Amino acid sequence: MSLASDKKDAQPREVLTPQEVADALRWPVRKIWRWCREGRLRYLRPAGTHEIRFYRDELDEDLRRHEIAREANVIDFQRRRRGV
């Protein structure tokens, strides 16, 4: 298979706006912007604009990664509290 046919067969990645992400997660848009500033969410800026967009697959990975990290922090906190 050639590289040209690989590109032709590849499906376009879903791109979301901050408002679409906030609506889907039922979060305020401010939280989406804050997580971007803090480096928790990967995003892209279309050329020549100040807007940001998210690739759906990367967003899903980032959210899973932070959920796992949050659960780990809760477990560590509980262990420290019990003195384990």
Side-chain angles (χ1 to χ4, degrees), residues 6-77:
D6 288 344
K7 287 183 180 181
K8 186 171 55 174
D9 294 337
Q11 294 185 0
R13 294 170 77 180
E14 186 177 0
V15 179
L16 303 169
T17 66
Q19 185 63 56
E20 291 171 328
V21 173
D23 291 344
L25 296 173
R26 297 183 180 153
W27 288 357
V29 173
R30 292 182 316 274
K31 185 171 184 176
I32 303 301
W33 286 98
R34 186 175 69 241
W35 277 40
C36 290
R37 278 193 314 272
E38 293 171 355
R40 295 182 186 196
L41 298 177
R42 291 174 282 178
Y43 61 91
L44 60 117
R45 288 190 187 271
T49 70
H50 293 288
E51 300 171 355
I52 65 171
R53 297 290 184 264
F54 303 91
Y55 285 125
R56 174 69 182 260
D57 55 340
E58 289 180 1
L59 181 65
D60 290 341
E61 288 173 18
D62 291 344
L63 292 172
R64 265 190 252 111
R65 179 170 39 108
H66 287 292
E67 182 64 23
I68 291 168
R70 186 184 67 77
E71 289 174 5
N73 287 339
V74 169
I75 292 168
D76 288 343
F77 175 74

